[in-house]
């Protein structure tokens, strides 16, 4: 049985191409947590656990993800057979509660390693393999300025890179937000789909008004308008409005998926490998959605190329993906961390086809941008390596 002989977890900070304004934070850089595993046969696997705005978006931070892996997950991982991904994640789950982004990073690295060992893409290890080789990719307009957002939409439409637009709202008065969205929808017209993400920032009363006005403005989807725990409000809003409500922050794995589907809390799910706790639980979330007649959208935590490739592998296996994906994370960063950037063309992302994740890191660029580059924190398993 092979064993894990090296676990290297580190943070890579990369600037964004412009400020990225969400309801809870404005991003000027992304802090990517990377995990690199090496097993006793010399095979390597890489994974990513990335969030948004420090601790402002969710309950894990880049620094906390690194600590959870180094201090609590690595000691268990060292006792596991890396080729048995499900068994390893089950054993980790016995002593590590929650920490879904940290678990996602480790599970991704194990799947990458297992795929390389077997000579198959990660999608083959999930749900019976890929049924599509490319994925539609939305772009988020979030510069904070309506005119600039319209310019950006015109540019990416002309480049045939995106024709699905997600607008971040929730910071301003509801009517001001709707006016911002309506101006962009008027500019885009029927050349593209416009959706919004409120990131939980509306009360139910604000969401009632907002969803009505957004529907009239021609918006196709309203993401997480109210607090993630308020399933009852989500169900009332979902039943009352024609524009579909999409669950995002409310979805942290299969149990949440079942609860929300069962109460009619959303008509669409934003499936995210990070919030789900890995690709395998994300696939379970999607299966519950399909069983409950809930539509699917491939979400992002604005990961770099590693997490984006991992998400692409699992989204490629889903029988339906009616709302497309938002796997544009690498395009928001000034530098790519992959040796061979992911391929975006003709409004789609191509799913990598090589063994494992089908990608490799740009080692020099990652070494330059790694936060601990003055004192790397390599974790060599005692007596192995
Ligand atoms: O910020 C973006 O552009 C995309 C998604 C991020 C988080 C979310 O969906 O809430
Ligand atoms: Mn969202």
């Amino acid at each position: 049985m092979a064993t894990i002989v090296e676990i290297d977890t580190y943070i890579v900070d990369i600037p964004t191409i412009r400020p990225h304004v969400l309801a809870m934070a404005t991003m000027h850089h992304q802090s990517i947590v990377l995990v690199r595993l090496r097993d006793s046969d010399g095979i390597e696997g890489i994974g990513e656990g990335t969030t948004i705005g420090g601790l402002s978006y969710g309950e894990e931070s880049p620094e906390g993800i690194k600590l959870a892996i180094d201090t609590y997950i690595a000691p268990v991982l060292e006792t596991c057979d890396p080729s048995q991904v499900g068994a390893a994640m089950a054993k980790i789950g016995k002593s590590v509660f929650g920490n879904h982004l940290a678990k996602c990073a480790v599970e991704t690295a194990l799947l990458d390693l297992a795929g390389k060992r077997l000579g198959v893409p990660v999608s083959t290890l999930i749900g019976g393999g890929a049924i599509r080789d490319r994925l539609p990719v939305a772009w988020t307009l979030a510069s904070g300025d309506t005119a600039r957002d319209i310019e950006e939409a015109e540019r990416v439409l002309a480049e045939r890179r995106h024709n699905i637009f997600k607008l971040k709202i929730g910071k301003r008065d509801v009517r001001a937000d709707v006016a911002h969205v309506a101006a962009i929808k008027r500019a885009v017209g029927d050349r593209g789909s416009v959706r919004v993400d409120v990131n939980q920032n509306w009360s139910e009363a604000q969401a009632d008004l907002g969803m009505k006005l957004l529907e009239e403005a021609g918006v196709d989807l309203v993401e997480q308008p109210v607090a993630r725990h308020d399933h009852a409000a989500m169900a009332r809003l979902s039943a009352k409005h024609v524009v579909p409500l999409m669950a995002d922050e409310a979805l942290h794995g299969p149990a949440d998926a079942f609860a929300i589907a069962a109460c009619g809390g959303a008509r669409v799910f934003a499936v995210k490998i990070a919030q789900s706790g890995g690709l395998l639980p994300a696939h379970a979330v999607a299966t519950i959605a399909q069983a409950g007649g809930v539509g699917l959208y491939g979400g992002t935590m604005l990961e770099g190329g590693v997490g984006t490739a991992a998400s692409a592998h699992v989204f490629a296996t889903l029988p339906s993906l009616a709302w497309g994906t938002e796997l544009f994370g690498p395009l928001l960063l000034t530098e790519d961390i992959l040796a061979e950037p992911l391929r975006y063309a003709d409004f789609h992302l191509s799913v990598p086809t090589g063994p494992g994740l089908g990608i490799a890191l740009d080692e020099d660029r990652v070494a330059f941008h790694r936060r601990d580059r003055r004192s790397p924190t390599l974790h060599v398993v005692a007596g192995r390596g």
Side-chain angles (χ1 to χ4, degrees):
M1 164 184 127
T3 57
I4 295 287
V5 296
E6 197 177 282
I7 302 169
D8 185 14
T9 310
Y10 52 98
I11 298 170
V12 174
D13 298 296
I14 309 273
T16 53
I17 56 171
R18 58 147 166 78
H20 197 65
V21 183
L22 297 92
M24 85 299 291
T26 293
M27 294 170 65
H28 296 278
H29 74 278
Q30 182 57 306
S31 297
I32 293 169
V33 182
L34 291 174
V35 188
R36 188 201 308 264
L37 307 179
R38 192 162 58 80
D39 78 6
S40 44
D41 295 334
I43 303 174
E44 278 199 356
I46 47 175
E48 177 181 350
T50 294
T51 186
I52 291 165
L55 275 174
S56 66
Y57 185 92
E59 292 155 8
E60 295 173 78
S61 65
E63 299 76 15
I65 291 165
K66 172 171 164 53
L67 180 137
I69 296 169
D70 288 344
T71 310
Y72 296 98
I73 294 178
V76 178
L77 194 52
E78 289 162 17
T79 68
C80 298
D81 174 351
S83 66
Q84 304 304 312
V85 180
M89 293 313 294
K91 191 168 183 183
I92 289 166
K94 289 204 180 345
S95 59
V96 178
F97 180 75
N99 286 273
H100 282 191
L101 276 62
K103 285 174 181 172
C104 175
V106 170
E107 186 232 47
T108 301
L110 286 169
L111 285 168
D112 184 29
L113 199 155
K116 286 175 185 164
R117 174 178 289 280
L118 295 168
V120 297
V122 163
S123 52
T124 304
L125 303 175
I126 307 218
I131 59 170
R132 60 178 67 79
D133 58 10
R134 63 182 199 147
L135 301 159
V137 180
W139 176 254
T140 294
L141 297 168
S143 71
D145 174 79
T146 308
R148 182 165 179 189
D149 284 349
I150 292 173
E151 264 170 41
E152 205 169 280
E154 291 295 349
R155 177 167 56 77
V156 297
L157 274 167
E159 289 170 1
R160 296 181 55 75
R161 212 179 73 181
H162 307 282
N163 56 15
I164 301 172
F165 297 100
K166 170 169 168 160
L167 278 53
K168 288 288 182 179
I169 60 173
K171 286 180 76 171
R172 295 171 281 206
D173 164 74
V174 172
R175 292 182 188 280
D177 264 340
V178 172
H180 162 72
V181 175
I184 293 172
K185 178 56 188 173
R186 275 194 304 275
V188 168
D190 57 9
R191 293 179 295 160
S193 170
V194 169
R195 302 105 179 255
V196 300
D197 189 351
V198 192
N199 285 113
Q200 312 185 73
N201 251 29
W202 281 345
S203 66
E204 185 174 356
Q206 285 175 311
D208 248 335
L209 173 65
M211 288 179 76
K212 175 177 173 297
L213 297 177
L214 287 166
E215 199 173 297
E216 289 163 3
V219 165
D220 295 321
L221 190 64
V222 177
E223 186 171 346
Q224 204 59 59
V226 294
R228 57 185 268 202
H229 61 79
D230 202 344
H231 294 185
M234 288 169 68
R236 285 189 293 268
L237 291 164
S238 211
K240 189 171 178 182
H241 295 278
V242 169
V243 61
L245 187 152
M246 175 156 75
D248 174 5
E249 288 91 333
L251 271 176
H252 285 260
D256 291 334
F258 180 79
I260 294 167
C263 77
R267 275 195 267 148
V268 185
F269 280 177
V271 180
K272 293 186 174 182
I273 61 171
Q275 285 184 174
S276 300
L279 283 73
L280 296 167
H283 188 271
V285 166
T287 304
I288 290 166
Q290 245 126 16
V294 176
L296 287 172
Y297 177 73
T300 184
M301 289 297 278
L302 298 177
E303 293 98 340
V306 178
T308 298
S311 299
H313 278 281
V314 64
F315 299 159
T317 70
L318 302 183
S320 69
L321 199 60
W323 295 88
T325 78
E326 57 185 14
L327 292 181
F328 67 83
L331 301 175
L332 189 63
L333 306 180
T334 55
E335 296 197 49
D336 208 303
I337 60 171
L338 299 187
E340 185 69 40
L342 296 176
R343 190 170 167 278
Y344 292 89
D346 205 19
F347 305 112
H348 287 74
L349 164 66
S350 297
V351 181
T353 52
L357 293 173
I359 56 168
L361 292 174
D362 177 327
E363 297 296 347
D364 295 340
R365 196 165 285 181
V366 161
F368 178 78
H369 286 286
R370 70 182 279 172
R371 195 180 285 185
D372 64 356
R373 64 177 178 273
R374 283 174 292 283
S375 54
T377 54
L378 194 58
H379 176 107
V380 180
V381 178
R384 297 184 198 155

